[in-house]
Amino acid sequence: MPIPSHKITHLRDIPKKEPGLLLLPTDVAVYKSRLYIVDGGHQRIVVTNLKGKYLYSFGQEGAGDGEFQNPVGIGIDEKGTVFVADTSNHRIQIFDTKGAFKSSFQVISEEVLIRPIDIAVDPNTDELYVTGNNNHKLMVFDQSGKLLREWGRNGEDVGEFRFPATVVVTPDSVVAVVDVFNTRAQLFTGAGEYLIEIGKWGVLQGQLVRPKGVAIDNSGLIYISDSYMNVIQVFNDEGKFQYLLKEGDAYQFETPAGITLDKSNRLYVAEMLKHKVSVFQVEK
């Protein structure tokens, strides 16, 4: 029996032609007419318009203000403030929409420096949700860097994590966290109350091997990229598998990592080993 699939149309690749513009991109975010790409291999953020035209970039390798060491995740709030998980510098850096440095804070939990992997902003509270690599927790900070609450620990039970990665927060403050080595995503309330689990280890539909990115569309469908199986699967808000995204037999993802959707239901996929962001229209 064929696996259910849903049509997507490939619109463009970013970059279109320029070799070397991106190296191992890990995450993407959209704000109004701009696309922000974590260009991890070049230790910077690349900004294009939504058609892929290069506009500017900011950052370089280092530990100073506005410099990066292995940035991984990015989040943008309703005002256009850009938050970057500067992973190996153990901090969150904050920029304005044009990439000017504003401030930063170290990610500290239980007096230990933490490697942040991703960051998402709650649109209702402006709180910052940060996944921690070496403490296996989800941490919530205010924008000054004060730790407000946290949950999780290294484990396989519900509410526990093994190397949490991408995090997103919906307009109604539901938090979705990719729990990489537990091969699942978990959903919580903003207060940390466990809601549901999506996926388990395996190669069949609805199963995951190396989940990396997560995005939620306006209807509440949950998109999860799998960088090992090179697919993006879609689940409903109860965690039930719906379909694979597919463009006929013509398109094959390669190490899809961070993903995001814009208001026009266009899907942006950071394909790490192809050194590009691919853009698709998700058909209704």
Side-chain angles (χ1 to χ4, degrees), residues 161 163-167 176-180 184-186 211-214 224:
F161 304 107
F163 299 100
T166 308
V167 56
V177 184
V178 173
D179 187 8
V180 178
R184 65 186 178 186
Q186 297 189 72
K212 282 293 180 67
V214 61
I224 299 177

Side-chain angles (χ1 to χ4, degrees), residues 95-116:
F95 303 86
D96 69 15
T97 309
K98 296 182 179 179
F101 174 81
K102 296 179 69 175
S103 63
S104 67
F105 63 86
Q106 289 188 313
V107 179
I108 299 175
S109 171
E110 298 179 340
E111 301 182 347
V112 175
L113 279 172
I114 304 302
R115 287 168 53 88

Side-chain angles (χ1 to χ4, degrees), residues 9-141:
T9 300
H10 182 239
L11 299 178
R12 65 188 63 90
D13 292 328
I14 303 171
K16 296 177 182 178
K17 296 180 180 178
E18 305 91 327
L21 176 63
L22 299 177
L23 180 64
L24 301 174
T26 54
D27 202 8
V28 286
V30 170
Y31 180 73
K32 293 186 176 180
S33 62
R34 295 178 181 178
L35 178 69
Y36 294 74
I37 305 167
V38 180
D39 185 16
H42 289 133
Q43 314 285 351
R44 64 179 181 170
I45 307 299
V46 169
V47 184
T48 73
N49 67 16
L50 296 186
K51 293 186 177 181
K53 181 181 178 181
Y54 175 86
L55 299 177
Y56 54 90
S57 64
F58 55 94
Q60 62 182 5
E61 185 173 5
D65 292 346
E67 298 177 338
F68 301 108
Q69 289 283 358
N70 304 313
V72 176
I74 190 169
I76 303 179
D77 69 11
E78 299 292 319
K79 300 175 183 176
T81 307
V82 180
F83 303 85
V84 180
D86 186 9
T87 302
S88 293
N89 280 326
H90 304 91
R91 64 185 178 182
I92 300 299
Q93 293 205 71
I94 305 172
F95 303 86
D96 69 15
T97 309
K98 296 182 179 179
F101 174 81
K102 296 179 69 175
S103 63
S104 67
F105 63 86
Q106 289 188 313
V107 179
I108 299 175
S109 171
E110 298 179 340
E111 301 182 347
V112 175
L113 279 172
I114 304 302
R115 287 168 53 88
I117 299 300
D118 195 23
I119 182 166
V121 188
D122 187 324
N124 299 302
T125 65
D126 287 331
E127 293 175 335
L128 307 177
Y129 288 75
V130 178
T131 49
N133 177 269
N134 51 314
N135 66 342
H136 308 280
K137 289 184 178 182
L138 184 64
M139 299 160 286
V140 187
F141 297 88

